[in-house]
Amino acid sequence: MSLSPDELERYARHVVLMEVGGIGQQRLKAAAVLVIGAGGLGAPLLLYLAAAGVGRLVVVDDDTVSLSNLQRQVIHGTPDVGRPKVESAADTVRRVNPHVTVVAEHRRLTGENAAALLEGITIAADGSDNFSTRYALADACATAKVPLVTAAIGRFDGSITTLKPYALRADGRPFPSYRDLFPTPPPPGAIPACAEAGVLGALPGLLGTMMAMEVLKEILSIGDSLAGRLLLVDALGARYETIRLD
């Protein structure tokens, strides 16, 4: 998949990187990423994937923009209040990079539609805010052998990992699945929602940007994957801890 002169100039800082180069940029252009959630995590994730030149972004979200979203969901603006988040996000992506094809799916991912949404997808990224979606997506990705970058946030903390349970580690053991990490969902009400607990606006920006980095690494096959590792972020303490998942 060739790059136009405009694209070569746009991605010049990528092309000069030995780890990316022209071939890597073509791989990004040929990639398709399924992004679940156009909210706090999905906003920076989508912006950086679009800016990086990922060729196709499929955005799934059934919510609309509210005024309280704007403190952290930087892909939306005040005029977007009341609009479907996927439409607002798609418009912003197109302004950031007209070379990117964006598909807006104004619906919730479920166990019934997950497999269809994963058709033709290179890698998925989960920025959802409910466990039913997380389990449905993780199960579908495992079945389809599609890598999944997933993150979660609290008030001032977060976590991120990459899931590839269909692949084997160097010692021959499979990488863990989402259900290995979290065998069952927590009881209803055990984890307060963002509207109840609150969240510092920059925190999802930090974790969402880290998600973008992990997605790009997987597409380009560079660096050390987070598969088999869980990265914990304590934003107030400025501490990061990596836990190996056995």
Side-chain angles (χ1 to χ4, degrees):
M1 185 171 287
S2 61
L3 302 171
S4 68
D6 179 79
E7 288 174 300
L8 286 172
E9 182 176 356
R10 178 182 290 267
Y11 309 127
R13 300 303 184 273
H14 274 179
V15 174
V16 297
L17 289 171
M18 181 177 61
E19 295 83 354
V20 182
I23 293 176
Q25 193 61 51
Q26 290 175 49
R27 292 182 68 177
L28 293 175
K29 184 176 181 178
V33 180
L34 176 66
V35 176
I36 307 303
L41 292 169
L45 170 62
L46 286 164
L47 289 172
Y48 275 109
L49 294 183
V54 171
R56 184 168 179 259
L57 297 173
V58 181
V59 191
V60 182
D61 197 310
D62 66 345
D63 201 5
T64 57
V65 180
S66 65
L67 193 60
S68 63
N69 296 150
L70 303 184
Q71 157 256 18
R72 64 200 178 282
Q73 299 181 16
V74 294
I75 204 167
H76 313 297
T78 304
D80 297 313
V81 171
R83 297 183 66 199
K85 286 183 180 179
V86 290
E87 293 183 6
S88 170
D91 285 347
T92 303
V93 165
R94 294 182 185 110
R95 285 196 298 271
V96 169
N97 191 346
H99 298 287
V100 174
T101 298
V102 57
V103 179
E105 295 281 356
H106 186 211
R107 52 176 165 162
R108 176 170 291 206
L109 181 139
T110 65
E112 288 71 37
N113 63 24
L117 287 168
L118 282 168
E119 291 181 4
I121 294 297
T122 308
I123 183 171
D126 184 9
S128 64
D129 59 0
N130 67 88
F131 282 97
S132 62
T133 298
R134 290 179 178 275
Y135 281 94
L137 177 61
D139 290 345
C141 284
T143 299
K145 298 184 178 180
V146 172
L148 170 62
V149 175
T150 181
I153 55 171
R155 297 165 63 240
F156 302 104
D157 60 271
S159 63
I160 178 173
T161 188
T162 297
L163 300 171
K164 295 193 280 189
Y166 52 84
L168 300 179
R169 313 182 213 212
D171 61 6
R173 293 179 300 142
F175 285 107
S177 69
Y178 190 78
R179 291 184 182 273
D180 290 326
L181 273 64
F182 309 103
T184 58
I191 300 179
C194 175
E196 302 166 356
V199 60
L200 193 65
L203 178 68
L206 173 62
L207 269 296
T209 300
M210 294 174 74
M211 291 178 74
M213 185 67 181
E214 295 307 312
V215 168
L216 295 175
K217 283 166 54 181
E218 292 292 333
I219 295 172
L220 294 167
S221 297
I222 61 174
D224 295 327
S225 172
L226 273 178
R229 299 185 294 155
L230 180 68
L231 177 61
L232 304 177
V233 178
D234 172 6
L236 280 187
R239 287 188 290 267
Y240 297 82
E241 180 181 3
T242 303
I243 299 175
R244 294 204 170 271
L245 305 171
D246 294 323

